[in-house]
């Protein structure tokens, strides 16, 4: 569906290779289903639980096609449902492995809806699932690597490593946000306000009133070929009890909009009893509510095993399809208050993900405010944007001098440039030197000074950069740049140094400088041999950056060549000298 809600045409044709063969990803699996009344809810729309089962089955088949052995669902990233599917419409699911790691792999899932009579298509949702290969013997599983066959697959392959990094840091991010003083102060005020009884406030609904508990017996029909319960079946049962809890609040059917990450903590098997519990954790002013749901398993008198937990965002729609206001929730003591606060934290994280990651690049402001709670997503977006830019296949060679090439790319009314050359310096050493922006003024005349003002973590740093004025007599420009450094994940991957503007409350714009902004810039460094590396510098220009390179792109000068030659000379002179990042770091915010 288009961004304005209109249906769009769908092109399902497979790309044609240079030799005339039609390319088809060897791991791709497709499922097509007509939505029947038995798949629908009382609104004659496809049940989300049924959709999750079909998505999980399709993704599992794709994972097993690549692994050549049984696979189990480890997690499913956030899912945002953009469109509902009605009875009689056709559901199309495509799944293919984006990247394999040691024993796990990321599977990309795309879901669309087709109206056969109107010849229209809608995007329903996109998801990324992680599957783990299970050995049938004693040998340790080590998955073979993928060979991307198209430009889009190459981009997904490259970005999958960054998504994996973000998943692994999600739990720590949640803990850090909950423990921050600013968050605790804000939540304490919110809870006290919620507890205040005044005439203008709608009566609160006790959270206990929305509690749901249900039990399911795992039968052979619920299990896969490994006799384990289908991950999709567990997710479907969880969606069912969550919908009941959400609907109890307003005595109306609730519509599921977003699911936070599913994380499977352990398997369940045929004969298990699955206990499913759901309760509303919080309601928000934008007419949405968060429902927490967990699944536990047991057999006989054994203790409960935690299988899965998830958090789902629901809305209740009026007759015209608009979200209805929701009454406030009064949390239970102790665990209820904890869940109430955690729901606020998850909402903050969810908004950061949607605002920073899910938006089109043109919808994201140049400088996003940085704070500890969104730094994981800003860092992800920083690396993702550079990899997307580097992965474009329509670069045009504008000029070349002394083996330094200047390439340009015009796309969506945006001009991008790439400067590229090879140097006789090992890639790891070049990466270490180029990622230290405090030394960039030693070779780049456009950097007067670069001071590291905050070390976010081992791989992400924030710099205050000064550059000369573009016009004679004008103000010096300054930038607040987030530098995200990434070594290769696997053989053949590049080293990456991604740059983008952020804002810091400790360094607001001043009258002394003209504050500039960088949307996407940075280096990729490929290892050509043990002693040679290919270095590419990228920049997605904006009006503040374009004057620095405009004469080069127009062919009126070749300063790009002299600058990159100075870069190569700097790398050669320091190829064995230790490079120490600036130690002048402010206290983390």
């Amino acid at each position: 569906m288009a961004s304005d809600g209109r249906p769009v045409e769908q092109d399902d044709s497979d790309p044609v290779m240079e030799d005339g063969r039609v390319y088809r990803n060897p791991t791709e699996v497709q499922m097509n289903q007509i939505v029947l009344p038995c798949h629908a809810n009382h609104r004659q729309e496809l049940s989300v639980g049924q959709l999750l089962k079909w998505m999980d089955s399709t993704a599992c088949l794709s994972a097993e096609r690549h692994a050549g052995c049984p696979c189990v669902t480890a997690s499913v990233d956030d899912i945002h449902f953009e469109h509902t599917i009605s009875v009689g419409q056709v559901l199309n699911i495509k799944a293919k492995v984006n990247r394999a790691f040691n024993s796990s792999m990321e599977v990309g899932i795309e879901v669309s809806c087709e109206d056969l009579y109107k010849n229209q298509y809608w995007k329903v949702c996109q998801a990324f699932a992680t599957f783990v290969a299970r050995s049938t013997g004693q040998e340790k599983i080590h998955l073979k690597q993928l060979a991307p066959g198209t430009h889009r697959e190459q981009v997904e392959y490259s970005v999958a490593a960054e998504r994996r990094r973000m998943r692994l840091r999600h739990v720590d991010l949640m803990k850090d946000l909950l423990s921050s003083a600013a968050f605790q102060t804000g939540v304490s005020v919110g809870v006290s306000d919620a507890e205040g009884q005044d005439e203008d406030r709608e009566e609160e609904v006790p959270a206990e009133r929305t509690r749901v508990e249900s039990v399911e017996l795992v039968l052979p029909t619920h299990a896969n070929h490994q006799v384990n319960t289908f991950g999709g079946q567990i997710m479907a049962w969880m969606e069912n009890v969550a919908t009941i809890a959400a609907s109890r609040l307003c005595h109306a059917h609730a519509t599921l909009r977003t699911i936070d990450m599913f994380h499977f903590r352990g398997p369940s098997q045929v004969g298990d009893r699955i206990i499913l519990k759901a309760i509303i954790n919080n309601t928000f002013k934008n007419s949405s509510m968060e429902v927490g749901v967990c699944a536990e398993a047991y057999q006989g008198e054994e203790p409960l095993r935690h299988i899965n937990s998830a958090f789902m965002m629901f809305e209740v729609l009026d007759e015209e399809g608009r979200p209805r206001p929701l009454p406030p929730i009064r949390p239970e003591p102790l665990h209820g208050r904890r869940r109430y606060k955690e729901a606020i934290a998850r909402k903050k994280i969810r908004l950061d993900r949607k605002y920073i990651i899910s938006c089109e690049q043109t919808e994201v402001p140049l400088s996003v405010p940085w704070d500890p709670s969104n730094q994981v997503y800003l860092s992800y977006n920083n690396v993702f944007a550079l990899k997307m830019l580097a992965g474009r296949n329509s670069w045009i060679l504008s000029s070349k001098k002394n083996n330094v090439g200047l390439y340009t790319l015009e796309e969506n009314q945006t001009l991008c440039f790439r400067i590229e050359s090879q140097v006789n310096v090992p890639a790891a050493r070049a990466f270490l030197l180029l990622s230290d922006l405090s030394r960039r003024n030693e070779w780049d005349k456009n950097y007067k000074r670069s001071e590291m003002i905050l070390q976010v973590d081992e791989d992400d740093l924030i710099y205050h950069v000064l550059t000369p004025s573009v016009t004679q007599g004008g103000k010096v420009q300054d930038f607040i740049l987030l530098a995200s450094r990434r070594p290769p994940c696997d053989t053949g991957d590049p080293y990456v140094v991604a740059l983008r503007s952020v804002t810091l409350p400790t360094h607001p714009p001043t009258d002394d400088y003209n504050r500039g902004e960088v949307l996407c810039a940075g280096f990729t460094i490929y290892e050509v041999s043990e002693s040679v590396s290919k270095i590419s510098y990228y920049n997605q220009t904006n009006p503040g950056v374009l004057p620095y390179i405009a004469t080069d792109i127009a062919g009126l000068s070749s300063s790009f060549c002299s600058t990159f030659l100075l870069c190569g000379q700097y790398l050669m002179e320091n190829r064995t000298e230790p490079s120490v990042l600036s130690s002048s770091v402010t206290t983390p915010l």
Side-chain angles (χ1 to χ4, degrees), residues 5 62 65 75 78 149 171 187 210 305 347 354 369 442 461 463 468 511 560 568 587:
S62 174
R65 175 175 284 184
S75 67
D78 302 355
V171 175
V187 171
T210 69
R305 310 188 311 271
K347 183 186 178 185
K354 183 177 181 181
E442 296 182 31
L461 308 97
Y463 290 85
D511 294 336
F560 75 93
T587 303

Side-chain angles (χ1 to χ4, degrees), residues 470-492:
V470 186
T471 60
Q472 188 173 4
K475 288 184 180 180
V476 171
Q477 269 199 311
D478 75 331
F479 299 81
I480 304 296
L481 297 182
L482 170 64
S484 301
R485 312 175 303 170
R486 299 291 186 270
C489 181
D490 284 314
T491 303

Side-chain angles (χ1 to χ4, degrees), residues 123 138 159 282 300 319 352 362 409 491 509 512 546 570:
K123 178 182 177 182
Q138 298 297 321
V159 176
N282 208 335
E319 294 179 355
D352 285 337
T362 54
L409 170 68
T491 303
D512 298 331
L546 187 58
Y570 161 76

